[in-house]
Amino acid sequence: MNNPFVTFIIPSIGRKTLANTLCSLYFQSDNDWNVVVCFDNVDPTISGTYPKIYVVETGEKLGRDVNSAGNVRNYAIDFVRRNKSMLFSQYFGFVDDDDTLAPHYVEQLKNDFNKYRMPDINIFKMRYKCGSQIPGYEYDDKHGILTKEDINSLEGKVGISFAAHYRVFDKLQFPSSSGEDFEFLKRASEMDYKISLSRYCTYNVAPLGI
């Protein structure tokens, strides 16, 4: 069996909406993925017997105070990298347990990585129920490789809708911050990792569903 292209990391506090999140993965047009669901000191609501799903438990509460997910993501990524029995992906993708992904996420991720000559990180737009998107339409002419100035301008205008090459996590983790997604991207930019912005919206923020 070949290693999947992308491993999705889902930090979970046991929300019922996790079922919708996982369904959006099984509905992908490209099946080249697997997923780690990391339960943050709560009883798992699914088992690891489902194809393509790995279940991890933190054993202690990691999401505290202003950070509810970043520490859990770090724990799950470390689990993947230490677990030699797990199929190791080139990229880590991220989605929360109350959000969903568009059916073309994996397919478009591959297209973007090829189009932008294998960047270290690729950012997708996120869509809210009201129809608004972040980054907004003012960034439509900036798709492709972003400058440090572009990244700095994304503060408050970007979420967790990105995928990163596994080597990025050799030197970088999600910070303990309520804005851990932007802070991660900012630090990656400062470390000269190549970051691209897709023109496509592939991430649906709760409560949009699938």
Side-chain angles (χ1 to χ4, degrees), residues 67-79:
N67 183 309
S68 60
N71 292 336
V72 184
R73 293 190 191 104
N74 292 333
Y75 185 94
I77 291 168
D78 186 58
F79 166 83

Side-chain angles (χ1 to χ4, degrees), residues 6 16 22 40 47 77 93 96 131 134 143 176 183 185 197 207:
V6 57
K16 294 180 179 180
L22 293 173
D40 189 20
S47 72
I77 291 168
D96 290 337
I134 60 170
H143 60 87
S176 294
E183 291 297 328
L185 294 171
L197 175 63

Side-chain angles (χ1 to χ4, degrees), residues 83-182:
N83 192 336
K84 298 185 184 303
S85 65
M86 183 176 178
L87 294 175
F88 199 87
S89 303
Q90 294 184 64
Y91 297 97
F92 288 108
F94 303 98
V95 57
D96 290 337
D97 68 352
D98 55 349
D99 298 335
T100 61
L101 300 179
H104 61 287
Y105 183 108
V106 176
E107 180 181 357
Q108 190 56 53
L109 181 64
K110 287 183 176 181
N111 290 340
D112 282 346
F113 274 116
N114 288 327
K115 180 178 181 180
Y116 302 131
R117 299 185 179 182
M118 309 310 291
D120 300 298
I121 301 172
N122 188 61
I123 305 170
F124 285 117
K125 293 183 177 182
M126 307 175 77
R127 179 180 292 112
Y128 289 85
K129 185 179 181 181
C130 64
S132 64
Q133 298 181 3
I134 60 170
Y137 295 107
E138 68 271 21
Y139 285 87
D140 281 355
D141 62 345
K142 290 185 179 293
H143 60 87
I145 303 301
L146 299 177
T147 65
K148 287 182 173 63
E149 290 74 19
D150 292 332
I151 293 295
N152 289 336
S153 74
L154 287 174
E155 185 170 9
K157 303 175 184 177
V158 69
I160 196 60
S161 55
F162 57 83
H165 196 279
Y166 72 86
R167 64 173 173 259
V168 173
F169 299 94
D170 290 341
K171 300 180 179 180
L172 192 58
Q173 288 188 321
F174 285 98
S176 294
S177 165
S178 58
E180 76 273 7
D181 34 28
F182 169 73

Side-chain angles (χ1 to χ4, degrees), residues 52-65:
K52 305 172 78 67
I53 297 177
Y54 294 82
V55 172
V56 182
E57 299 178 59
T58 61
E60 62 177 316
K61 184 67 174 175
L62 298 181
R64 300 177 185 272
D65 302 326

